[in-house]
Amino acid sequence: METVRRLRDHATADEVYDAIKKEHPSVSRATVYRNLNLLAQSGEIKRVEVPNGADRFDHRTQNHYHAECLRCGKLIDVDMEYMESLENRIADPKGFEYLGHDILFKGFCEDCRSDNGGLTRAQKLPTQTNTNF
Amino acid sequence: METVRRLRDHATADEVYDAIKKEHPSVSRATVYRNLNLLAQSGEIKRVEVPNGADRFDHRTQNHYHAECLRCGKLIDVDMEYMESLENRIADPKGFEYLGHDILFKGFCEDCRSDNGGLTRAQKLPTQTNTNF
DNA sequence: CTGACTGCAAACTCTTTGCAAACCA
DNA sequence: TGGTTTGCAAAGAGTTTGCAGTCAG
């Protein structure tokens, strides 16, 4: 079942389901979700949570950051050092127990940066300066 | 309608709806959602997207980071300088047009760090080392 | 045989949308 | 009046869950 990590590129549960279904048409969506959850909990794959979008599952299990295309929704790996203890920089912990962090970059992927038009998740952003998240 | 920013603390659309309903019982959820979207787009309030949770709306419109309590879901403001151009540190832009980023810290809030038990969003995390996101 | 795993369908959460009625300028 | 905004209910996306049947050891 884990051989589904051959999909490599940040597949959503549904993409995994579709891929599995081709070889094992009887497998149900529920089973795929259940097993992805198990694998993610055991650490064999990594769940990448995307706000307002389906969770994606990553065969790379080390910590790293992602960038999301605001037009097509694609997720790409970002080539940047993981900031191990970013949370040490926080000035006033106020009793909060920091366990980790996640950074999500936003923008347009190579394919999408030109075609200005069409549906996009960017519509939810403030319109004046799209750099204001 | 914007006076709903008196709720101050990262209210969800539903919390806003509940608050409005007390004074204007006829207002529907759809209207609240529609207007929150308009206000967020015009930049009068800031939408904070929380993976696998309801979006929250923030009266603070400047860029800043948040921390999410993995037990109760509460969102708190993080006292840390906003890293204006974090995306400059990315080694290999690969044609991606970076427009911004968001950082979400995770952990347990003051109230929740002690009570180990009960439902928690942390259950979705790998179990061995909860610091591995 | 027993516990673990599965398929199915229904349920759930959060949010958006079509439409007709109500409102406002 | 004509464009905008509303309420309602239905629809939508993504995911989980109860249950009964199936499988493996």
Side-chain angles (χ1 to χ4, degrees):
Chain A
M1 189 73 84
E2 332 172 1
T3 52
V4 190
R5 69 175 52 159
R6 111 186 95 90
L7 281 191
R8 303 207 92 55
D9 227 22
H10 310 109
T12 62
D14 250 49
E15 287 164 358
V16 173
Y17 169 63
D18 286 342
I20 290 184
K21 201 172 41 179
K22 281 180 189 145
E23 295 177 50
H24 309 275
S26 71
V27 169
S28 77
R29 206 183 305 265
T31 299
V32 171
Y33 272 96
R34 277 187 280 234
N35 285 304
L36 286 174
N37 282 337
L38 290 176
L39 292 172
Q41 263 171 260
S42 75
E44 296 174 72
I45 61 179
K46 188 166 145 67
R47 174 198 304 276
V48 185
E49 300 187 314
V50 183
N52 297 311
D55 283 0
R56 289 165 177 277
F57 296 89
D58 199 335
H59 59 102
R60 284 185 62 192
T61 55
Q62 327 94 299
N63 285 327
H64 61 287
Y65 304 129
H66 295 94
E68 181 196 11
C69 176
L70 294 173
R71 183 118 38 213
C72 69
K74 197 194 317 175
L75 218 59
I76 71 167
D77 286 332
V78 162
D79 188 2
M80 174 173 165
E81 84 286 6
Y82 184 81
M83 295 180 280
E84 281 299 343
S85 35
L86 228 206
E87 30 281 316
N88 292 345
R89 292 211 223 159
I90 297 170
D92 177 16
K94 274 194 197 121
F96 196 93
E97 178 184 3
Y98 287 93
L99 294 176
H101 69 272
D102 206 8
I103 305 185
L104 187 60
F105 293 91
K106 317 209 183 185
F108 295 113
C109 71
E110 191 160 22
D111 297 338
C112 290
R113 58 189 304 179
S114 43
D115 64 25
N116 285 303
L119 299 176
T120 161
R121 309 218 318 100
Q123 284 165 347
K124 284 209 171 180
L125 303 173
T127 41
Q128 330 85 307
T129 66
N130 259 355
T131 56
N132 252 71
F133 298 13
Chain B
M1 191 76 87
E2 331 171 3
T3 52
V4 187
R5 70 175 51 160
R6 113 185 92 88
L7 280 191
R8 302 206 92 56
D9 228 22
H10 311 109
T12 63
D14 249 50
E15 288 164 356
V16 173
Y17 169 63
D18 286 342
I20 291 185
K21 203 172 41 178
K22 282 182 189 145
E23 295 178 49
H24 309 276
S26 72
V27 170
S28 78
R29 207 182 305 265
T31 299
V32 171
Y33 271 97
R34 277 188 280 235
N35 285 303
L36 287 173
N37 280 340
L38 291 176
L39 292 172
Q41 263 172 259
S42 73
E44 298 174 72
I45 61 178
K46 188 165 146 67
R47 176 198 304 278
V48 185
E49 300 186 316
V50 184
N52 297 312
D55 284 359
R56 290 167 177 273
F57 296 90
D58 200 334
H59 60 102
R60 284 184 63 192
T61 55
Q62 326 94 299
N63 285 327
H64 62 286
Y65 305 128
H66 295 96
E68 181 196 11
C69 176
L70 294 172
R71 183 117 38 212
C72 67
K74 197 192 319 177
L75 217 61
I76 71 167
D77 287 331
V78 162
D79 188 2
M80 173 174 166
E81 84 286 5
Y82 184 80
M83 295 180 280
E84 279 302 341
S85 34
L86 226 207
E87 30 280 319
N88 292 346
R89 293 210 222 159
I90 297 170
D92 176 15
K94 274 192 198 127
F96 196 92
E97 177 187 3
Y98 288 94
L99 294 177
H101 69 271
D102 207 7
I103 305 185
L104 186 60
F105 293 90
K106 316 207 186 189
F108 295 114
C109 72
E110 190 160 23
D111 297 338
C112 291
R113 60 188 305 177
S114 44
D115 64 27
N116 286 303
L119 298 175
T120 163
R121 309 217 320 101
Q123 283 165 345
K124 285 208 169 178
L125 302 173
T127 39
Q128 332 83 310
T129 66
N130 259 354
T131 57
N132 252 70
F133 298 14

